Amino acid sequence: MCGTDSPASINKGSLTSANGNGTRSPTCSSDRVLNLEQGDPSVFQSYWSKMEDKCTMVISGSQLMSYISDFTTLCWFMEPEFQEAVRRLHRVVGNAVVDDRYIVVGTGSTQLYQAALYALTSPGGPEPVSIVSAAPYYSAYPEETDYLRSRLYKWAGDAYEFDKNGTGPYIEVVNSPNNPDGTLREAVVKNRGDEGKLIHDLAYYWPQYTPIIRPADHDIMTFTFSKSTGHAGSRIGWAVVKDKEIARKMSKFIEMSTLGVSKDSQQRAAKIMGVICDGYKNFKSDELFFEHTRRVMAERWERLRQVVDRNQVFSLPKYPKQYCLFSGELIEPYPGFAWLEAKEEEEEIDSQKVLRGCIKVQGRTGSRFGVAQKYVRVSLLSNEEVFNQFLERLSTIKSISNGH
Amino acid sequence: MCGTDSPASINKGSLTSANGNGTRSPTCSSDRVLNLEQGDPSVFQSYWSKMEDKCTMVISGSQLMSYISDFTTLCWFMEPEFQEAVRRLHRVVGNAVVDDRYIVVGTGSTQLYQAALYALTSPGGPEPVSIVSAAPYYSAYPEETDYLRSRLYKWAGDAYEFDKNGTGPYIEVVNSPNNPDGTLREAVVKNRGDEGKLIHDLAYYWPQYTPIIRPADHDIMTFTFSKSTGHAGSRIGWAVVKDKEIARKMSKFIEMSTLGVSKDSQQRAAKIMGVICDGYKNFKSDELFFEHTRRVMAERWERLRQVVDRNQVFSLPKYPKQYCLFSGELIEPYPGFAWLEAKEEEEEIDSQKVLRGCIKVQGRTGSRFGVAQKYVRVSLLSNEEVFNQFLERLSTIKSISNGH
């Protein structure tokens, strides 16, 4: 029961306040809001803490100073070591075809999404191209598509709706496994001849989140360091691209947008990917990266499902077991987010408000993902202390209707 | 005389080809093209080589993993250490007012230019706002303004022309010292009431390039790590902003564009700026950064002017000496680029083609900067070997008209 709690005012700083020592660390006292709105991948930090020595990056004052990495290549600001590490990682994991494909580095997959829109639509026609994705879609797509009011493209919402009633040229973004709901997806819009193009956002197509059902082999696939290894602060993403001209245009976009991508972070990503791959080559680590992180995610999901089943207020998606080529086992998906749906019959229930008001947990409302506000997305990628607090608080909700 | 040389085909890779050891190093054999088109700041590398120990950046595998630096601040992805270092550096140099100003970090000043356009024009009206800059203007502005065909803003060319004939809301970009011609500038468009807004691009307003004539104090000022210390590969820039709402919108732009800025590079920039400032505090360095780099630039300009004066084919701008608050002396500007103007009377002379065809030096034509092609911009920021080769080759040109 939580009827007496009034929704606290939003305090985004609750998890990153400075303590007396001048360092920033999470705090979890019961009167503070748990910010689980973003998918900040702190869960993987403990693994990397144990690997310190192997992964330490050292850069002297005179290294990596030039804009240019290799002017003879299409993506001239990409460090060769980074490209090599990306190809090697995909070969080890088997989640994407990289032979005879172009790699383009970006400042996170956020920039690569926009680079792909530019590459597929420029120089542009009289009308902007419609950009669609099946609801519930990643909440950042609409804003990232429309903030500059481009004449090249415009956000057109739910791909199912566009399939029924939309017309004209379009790009469908296929996010698989999907953020927020964790489902493995395929394109939705059908039978449009050559009017449609696809971008596959595969940020979460890694063994800690999902069975690897096949090596993905699409025209444009984007990945990110943030979700693969947990290093969000480095802002590194990459695209695997079939067509040379598309890869060239994506590189050109990044040149015009940011004149390249941090070399410091590219080198750090190459190093960390290399440590992961070396682990699989030598089998010397106590626990290999994807095995460790999959185990942590599996434990979190098991505990989460117990709490959700017990209090009967929300439901979670059920995922089928599928054969994972990476592990060689039939396994379940363990998405990075809990996609909670209120069980009450009323469609108007605002689950974000319920979580916020009743247990001071900040999630993100379903309406941001193009569906009803009875859904709310909650990050499962926090550190252990915050995750434990979340479960503890969630277990105290016994009824939504008493909650507001 | 170079009449017998035929223009070689463009080979952008000429300076970054792989050698037998698998490392990339510049090569300067006389049949290779010297690429001096970009302003890659290799000239400062030798200084940083001598400072190795002090500037070495060490990042363990578990550090800097979060998206978030400090959610209580407006620019939540900015590392507090970076912000502190930026303010300290400006206070040491005296080139900008930073007290009671907001700092916004960006992926180079390229991204901050676009963030400023967004902040000053969104949500936007029926017509795009005109973006102007006095010719010769930085060659990247037109492309960076127009590549997404935004309805918020559009490139409208030369500010002098707009002052005479342009109408409606506008933003003038004041680049001072100006790239390509090195002049200290003020706004050109006058008497428009509140229709106009300003962005000051102060990438080169540092003591190695120009006298610091006053602490700059404009509404939006952008700076970059690339040109201040020479670390272009880190893609770090910052804006100093008076108005809170503008700073907030610029941060929002960077959030939507790249979801923050590499923390690895922010921390590296903080460290290197700290080493520079410590030098001025302790006076222990053999030679302090700005004194060293100013001396190198002064020597290059002296040698360049000798060659240019001797062969009487091109002319260079003359810059007045001005009192520099930083050095306490009357000094000349030493811009990062040579802005060469062909002395021949014909306006149609293509100086880029002359340099390319006669001496295999790749510059950038004046037409890219909105002026006649008798002008060509050549980078003076290359490493010593390339700069020496450039002067050697330039000294062989005796006549343009025989050159094509």
Side-chain angles (χ1 to χ4, degrees):
Chain A
M1 297 287 287
C2 60
T4 55
D5 276 338
S6 68
S9 64
I10 291 194
N11 172 12
K12 283 184 165 177
S14 56
L15 287 180
T16 52
S17 56
N19 66 22
N21 300 324
T23 59
R24 301 182 301 284
S25 66
T27 56
C28 288
S29 69
S30 60
D31 61 335
R32 311 263 355 215
V33 174
L34 291 187
N35 181 359
L36 296 172
E37 186 179 351
Q38 292 80 22
D40 209 28
S42 317
V43 59
F44 305 135
Q45 199 174 2
S46 59
Y47 182 86
W48 296 115
S49 291
K50 285 183 273 178
M51 307 290 275
E52 296 293 35
D53 286 352
K54 285 186 202 166
C55 299
T56 298
M57 184 72 206
V58 179
I59 312 171
S60 78
S62 64
Q63 286 182 308
L64 308 178
M65 288 183 65
S66 174
Y67 288 102
I68 301 155
S69 295
D70 184 353
F71 241 163
T72 63
T73 63
L74 177 152
C75 188
W76 55 265
F77 46 80
M78 179 164 60
E79 292 285 279
E81 297 83 355
F82 174 78
Q83 177 171 198
E84 279 305 303
V86 161
R87 292 185 189 273
R88 184 179 175 207
L89 184 64
H90 282 301
R91 287 187 187 114
V92 165
V93 174
N95 62 340
V97 173
V98 288
D99 292 330
D100 302 317
R101 299 292 180 273
Y102 297 93
I103 308 292
V104 178
V105 65
T107 311
S109 57
T110 300
Q111 188 178 40
L112 289 160
Y113 167 70
Q114 295 168 61
L117 295 185
Y118 170 82
L120 293 174
T121 62
S122 65
E127 290 297 319
V129 172
S130 295
I131 313 300
V132 300
S133 188
Y137 43 72
Y138 175 40
S139 51
Y141 291 150
E143 194 171 70
E144 287 171 11
T145 308
D146 281 345
Y147 69 121
L148 287 175
R149 298 184 55 201
S150 174
R151 288 185 177 86
L152 298 176
Y153 47 77
K154 63 160 194 264
W155 178 249
D158 182 18
Y160 289 110
E161 192 56 40
F162 188 85
D163 188 46
K164 278 189 284 185
N165 302 315
T167 55
Y170 72 94
I171 296 169
E172 180 176 349
V173 196
V174 182
N175 185 201
S176 182
N178 188 46
N179 174 357
D181 69 358
T183 52
L184 285 170
R185 286 184 155 191
E186 295 188 356
V188 158
V189 188
K190 306 286 184 202
N191 306 319
R192 298 295 178 102
D194 58 1
E195 278 197 319
K197 291 169 183 166
L198 297 174
I199 298 170
H200 280 76
D201 175 349
L202 305 184
Y204 293 92
Y205 194 50
W206 296 97
Q208 65 268 52
Y209 306 112
T210 180
I212 302 301
I213 56 174
R214 68 179 69 88
D217 188 20
H218 307 287
D219 290 348
I220 302 177
M221 303 186 282
T222 62
F223 294 91
T224 162
F225 195 34
S226 308
K227 306 307 179 188
S228 52
T229 70
H231 293 82
S234 294
R235 311 308 312 120
I236 290 290
W238 63 95
V240 181
V241 181
K242 279 188 186 171
D243 182 77
K244 187 173 183 175
E245 267 319 295
I246 295 295
R248 189 188 304 282
K249 278 184 165 183
M250 289 180 72
S251 298
K252 182 67 187 169
F253 174 94
I254 290 163
E255 181 184 326
M256 293 184 291
S257 167
T258 54
L259 205 43
V261 175
S262 165
K263 285 187 176 182
D264 309 316
S265 291
Q266 287 189 59
Q267 287 288 348
R268 188 170 179 221
K271 177 141 202 165
I272 285 168
M273 291 175 189
V275 169
I276 293 177
C277 294
D278 288 347
Y280 286 96
K281 189 175 161 197
N282 304 324
F283 285 100
K284 276 187 184 164
S285 295
D286 290 341
E287 196 176 18
L288 296 167
F289 177 73
F290 293 112
E291 280 66 16
H292 172 87
T293 51
R294 177 161 190 84
R295 182 175 59 71
V296 172
M297 293 305 295
E299 286 168 8
R300 289 194 173 188
W301 270 91
E302 193 183 341
R303 293 173 60 201
L304 173 68
R305 287 202 187 272
Q306 281 171 4
V307 170
V308 167
D309 288 351
R310 201 161 48 224
N311 63 11
Q312 289 289 313
V313 171
F314 294 104
S315 66
L316 284 166
K318 301 272 182 287
Y319 304 107
K321 283 193 176 184
Q322 291 191 69
Y323 184 76
C324 174
L325 292 172
F326 178 74
S327 65
E329 294 171 16
L330 258 182
I331 55 180
E332 255 178 74
Y334 299 115
F337 295 100
W339 181 238
L340 294 165
E341 179 186 0
K343 282 195 169 182
E344 298 273 332
E345 289 305 296
E346 318 158 43
E347 280 290 312
E348 304 79 42
I349 281 180
D350 182 343
S351 292
Q352 175 185 293
K353 203 170 161 189
V354 169
L355 288 188
R356 178 73 198 208
C358 294
I359 59 171
K360 290 187 178 162
V361 165
Q362 183 66 43
R364 186 172 289 177
T365 175
S367 61
R368 292 279 306 278
F369 302 91
V371 296
Q373 60 183 14
K374 68 175 177 175
Y375 293 94
V376 60
R377 188 194 78 169
V378 176
S379 171
L380 302 179
L381 301 179
S382 68
N383 68 34
E384 191 70 12
E385 186 190 1
V386 173
F387 180 73
N388 290 340
Q389 263 285 325
F390 165 59
L391 284 194
E392 201 171 293
R393 295 188 191 186
L394 189 64
S395 66
T396 65
I397 298 189
K398 302 296 179 211
S399 151
I400 287 178
S401 43
N402 286 341
H404 67 292
Chain B
M1 295 288 288
C2 61
T4 54
D5 275 337
S6 67
S9 64
I10 290 192
N11 171 14
K12 283 183 164 178
S14 57
L15 286 180
T16 52
S17 58
N19 65 21
N21 300 323
T23 58
R24 301 182 302 284
S25 65
T27 55
C28 289
S29 68
S30 61
D31 60 337
R32 311 265 353 216
V33 173
L34 291 187
N35 181 358
L36 297 172
E37 186 179 349
Q38 292 79 23
D40 209 29
S42 317
V43 59
F44 305 134
Q45 198 174 4
S46 59
Y47 183 86
W48 295 115
S49 290
K50 284 184 274 177
M51 306 289 276
E52 295 293 35
D53 286 353
K54 285 187 202 164
C55 299
T56 298
M57 184 72 206
V58 179
I59 312 171
S60 79
S62 65
Q63 287 182 310
L64 309 177
M65 289 182 65
S66 173
Y67 289 102
I68 301 154
S69 295
D70 184 353
F71 241 163
T72 63
T73 62
L74 178 153
C75 188
W76 55 264
F77 46 80
M78 179 165 59
E79 293 286 278
E81 296 84 354
F82 175 77
Q83 178 172 196
E84 280 306 303
V86 161
R87 291 184 190 274
R88 185 180 175 207
L89 184 64
H90 282 301
R91 287 187 187 114
V92 166
V93 175
N95 61 341
V97 173
V98 288
D99 292 331
D100 302 316
R101 299 291 181 274
Y102 297 93
I103 308 292
V104 178
V105 66
T107 310
S109 57
T110 300
Q111 188 178 41
L112 289 160
Y113 167 70
Q114 295 169 62
L117 294 185
Y118 170 82
L120 293 174
T121 61
S122 64
E127 290 297 319
V129 172
S130 296
I131 312 301
V132 300
S133 188
Y137 43 71
Y138 176 39
S139 52
Y141 292 150
E143 193 171 69
E144 288 171 11
T145 307
D146 280 346
Y147 69 121
L148 288 175
R149 298 184 55 200
S150 174
R151 288 185 177 86
L152 298 176
Y153 47 77
K154 63 161 195 264
W155 179 249
D158 181 18
Y160 289 109
E161 192 56 40
F162 188 85
D163 188 46
K164 277 188 284 183
N165 302 315
T167 56
Y170 72 94
I171 297 169
E172 180 176 349
V173 196
V174 181
N175 185 201
S176 181
N178 189 47
N179 174 358
D181 69 358
T183 52
L184 284 169
R185 286 185 156 191
E186 295 189 354
V188 158
V189 188
K190 304 288 183 200
N191 306 319
R192 297 295 179 105
D194 57 2
E195 279 196 319
K197 292 169 182 165
L198 297 175
I199 298 169
H200 280 76
D201 175 348
L202 305 185
Y204 293 92
Y205 194 49
W206 296 98
Q208 66 268 51
Y209 306 113
T210 180
I212 302 301
I213 55 173
R214 68 179 68 90
D217 188 20
H218 307 287
D219 290 347
I220 303 177
M221 303 186 282
T222 62
F223 294 91
T224 163
F225 195 34
S226 308
K227 306 306 180 189
S228 52
T229 69
H231 292 83
S234 295
R235 311 308 311 122
I236 290 289
W238 63 95
V240 181
V241 181
K242 279 188 187 170
D243 183 77
K244 187 173 184 176
E245 267 320 295
I246 295 295
R248 190 187 303 283
K249 279 185 165 181
M250 289 180 72
S251 297
K252 181 67 186 169
F253 174 94
I254 290 164
E255 182 185 326
M256 294 185 290
S257 167
T258 54
L259 205 43
V261 175
S262 166
K263 285 187 176 182
D264 310 316
S265 292
Q266 287 188 61
Q267 287 288 347
R268 189 172 179 222
K271 177 141 203 163
I272 285 169
M273 290 175 189
V275 169
I276 292 176
C277 293
D278 287 348
Y280 286 96
K281 190 176 161 199
N282 304 323
F283 286 99
K284 277 186 184 164
S285 295
D286 290 341
E287 194 175 21
L288 296 166
F289 178 72
F290 293 112
E291 278 67 16
H292 172 87
T293 51
R294 177 162 191 83
R295 181 175 58 73
V296 171
M297 293 304 295
E299 285 168 8
R300 289 194 173 189
W301 269 92
E302 192 183 341
R303 292 173 59 202
L304 173 68
R305 287 201 188 272
Q306 280 173 2
V307 170
V308 168
D309 287 351
R310 200 161 48 225
N311 62 12
Q312 289 288 316
V313 172
F314 295 104
S315 66
L316 284 165
K318 302 270 182 288
Y319 305 107
K321 283 194 177 185
Q322 291 192 69
Y323 184 76
C324 174
L325 292 172
F326 178 74
S327 65
E329 294 171 17
L330 257 182
I331 56 180
E332 255 178 75
Y334 300 115
F337 295 100
W339 182 238
L340 295 165
E341 178 186 359
K343 283 195 167 181
E344 298 273 331
E345 289 305 295
E346 319 157 44
E347 280 292 312
E348 304 80 42
I349 281 180
D350 182 343
S351 293
Q352 174 186 292
K353 203 170 161 190
V354 169
L355 288 188
R356 179 74 199 210
C358 294
I359 58 171
K360 290 188 177 163
V361 165
Q362 183 65 43
R364 187 171 288 176
T365 175
S367 60
R368 293 279 305 279
F369 303 90
V371 295
Q373 61 184 11
K374 68 175 177 176
Y375 293 94
V376 61
R377 188 194 78 171
V378 176
S379 171
L380 301 180
L381 300 178
S382 68
N383 66 35
E384 190 71 12
E385 186 190 2
V386 172
F387 179 74
N388 289 341
Q389 263 286 325
F390 164 59
L391 284 195
E392 202 171 293
R393 294 189 192 185
L394 189 64
S395 67
T396 66
I397 298 190
K398 302 296 180 212
S399 151
I400 287 179
S401 45
N402 287 340
H404 67 293

